[in-house]
Tab-separated table of all heavy atoms in Angstrom:
chain	number	residue	atom	x	y	z
A	1359	VAL	N	96.671	59.942	158.936
A	1359	VAL	CA	97.207	61.116	158.234
A	1359	VAL	C	96.074	62.060	157.835
A	1359	VAL	O	96.208	63.287	157.917
A	1359	VAL	CB	98.007	60.673	156.981
A	1359	VAL	CG1	98.333	61.873	156.099
A	1359	VAL	CG2	99.290	59.971	157.403
A	1360	GLY	N	94.952	61.463	157.423
A	1360	GLY	CA	93.806	62.281	157.011
A	1360	GLY	C	92.987	62.821	158.164
A	1360	GLY	O	91.983	63.511	157.935
A	1361	GLY	N	93.369	62.493	159.399
A	1361	GLY	CA	92.664	63.017	160.563
A	1361	GLY	C	91.334	62.359	160.843
A	1361	GLY	O	90.484	62.930	161.546
A	1362	GLU	N	91.116	61.147	160.319
A	1362	GLU	CA	89.852	60.456	160.552
A	1362	GLU	C	89.805	59.925	161.980
A	1362	GLU	O	90.755	59.308	162.460
A	1362	GLU	CB	89.678	59.313	159.551
A	1362	GLU	CG	89.613	59.787	158.102
A	1362	GLU	CD	89.467	58.637	157.120
A	1362	GLU	OE1	88.952	57.587	157.534
A	1362	GLU	OE2	89.877	58.789	155.952
A	1363	SER	N	88.701	60.149	162.644
A	1363	SER	CA	88.583	59.782	164.057
A	1363	SER	C	88.301	58.303	164.272
A	1363	SER	O	88.526	57.766	165.361
A	1363	SER	CB	87.479	60.606	164.726
A	1363	SER	OG	86.236	60.402	164.062
A	1364	SER	N	87.772	57.623	163.256
A	1364	SER	CA	87.469	56.198	163.407
A	1364	SER	C	87.900	55.444	162.166
A	1364	SER	O	87.927	55.990	161.062
A	1364	SER	CB	85.973	55.988	163.653
A	1364	SER	OG	85.213	56.459	162.552
A	1365	PHE	N	88.246	54.170	162.354
A	1365	PHE	CA	88.660	53.303	161.264
A	1365	PHE	C	87.499	52.358	160.981
A	1365	PHE	O	87.120	51.566	161.854
A	1365	PHE	CB	89.917	52.527	161.671
A	1365	PHE	CG	90.545	51.739	160.555
A	1365	PHE	CD1	90.856	52.342	159.348
A	1365	PHE	CD2	90.840	50.398	160.716
A	1365	PHE	CE1	91.436	51.633	158.318
A	1365	PHE	CE2	91.425	49.674	159.695
A	1365	PHE	CZ	91.730	50.292	158.493
A	1366	PRO	N	86.897	52.432	159.786
A	1366	PRO	CA	85.613	51.765	159.549
A	1366	PRO	C	85.616	50.252	159.711
A	1366	PRO	O	84.756	49.696	160.383
A	1366	PRO	CB	85.283	52.169	158.104
A	1366	PRO	CG	86.591	52.542	157.496
A	1366	PRO	CD	87.380	53.144	158.613
A	1367	SER	N	86.556	49.561	159.106
A	1367	SER	CA	86.529	48.091	159.174
A	1367	SER	C	87.904	47.535	158.827
A	1367	SER	O	88.737	48.215	158.234
A	1367	SER	CB	85.480	47.524	158.215
A	1367	SER	OG	85.807	47.838	156.870
A	1368	TRP	N	88.089	46.294	159.220
A	1368	TRP	CA	89.327	45.604	158.873
A	1368	TRP	C	89.013	44.127	158.700
A	1368	TRP	O	87.937	43.654	159.060
A	1368	TRP	CB	90.396	45.828	159.944
A	1368	TRP	CG	90.015	45.330	161.315
A	1368	TRP	CD1	90.242	44.096	161.843
A	1368	TRP	CD2	89.313	46.071	162.318
A	1368	TRP	NE1	89.737	44.009	163.111
A	1368	TRP	CE2	89.158	45.219	163.437
A	1368	TRP	CE3	88.797	47.375	162.395
A	1368	TRP	CZ2	88.514	45.602	164.598
A	1368	TRP	CZ3	88.163	47.760	163.551
A	1368	TRP	CH2	88.016	46.902	164.637
A	1369	THR	N	89.956	43.397	158.129
A	1369	THR	CA	89.751	41.985	157.837
A	1369	THR	C	90.219	41.135	159.011
A	1369	THR	O	91.396	41.165	159.370
A	1369	THR	CB	90.529	41.574	156.568
A	1369	THR	OG1	90.133	42.414	155.485
A	1369	THR	CG2	90.254	40.113	156.215
A	1370	GLY	N	89.318	40.392	159.601
A	1370	GLY	CA	89.672	39.541	160.729
A	1370	GLY	C	90.437	38.303	160.281
A	1370	GLY	O	90.038	37.639	159.324
A	1371	LEU	N	91.525	37.986	160.972
A	1371	LEU	CA	92.356	36.829	160.636
A	1371	LEU	C	92.339	35.779	161.737
A	1371	LEU	O	93.236	34.945	161.818
A	1371	LEU	CB	93.802	37.277	160.358
A	1371	LEU	CG	94.004	38.291	159.232
A	1371	LEU	CD1	95.481	38.613	159.067
A	1371	LEU	CD2	93.418	37.777	157.917
A	1372	GLY	N	91.306	35.821	162.566
A	1372	GLY	CA	91.204	34.838	163.643
A	1372	GLY	C	92.393	34.899	164.575
A	1372	GLY	O	92.884	35.992	164.909
A	1373	PRO	N	92.938	33.752	164.972
A	1373	PRO	CA	94.060	33.739	165.922
A	1373	PRO	C	95.374	34.202	165.318
A	1373	PRO	O	96.367	34.347	166.044
A	1373	PRO	CB	94.140	32.259	166.323
A	1373	PRO	CG	93.603	31.521	165.137
A	1373	PRO	CD	92.517	32.386	164.593
Side-chain angles (χ1 to χ4, degrees):
V1359 169
E1362 298 179 25
S1363 58
S1364 62
F1365 188 52
S1367 63
W1368 60 90
T1369 304
L1371 301 181

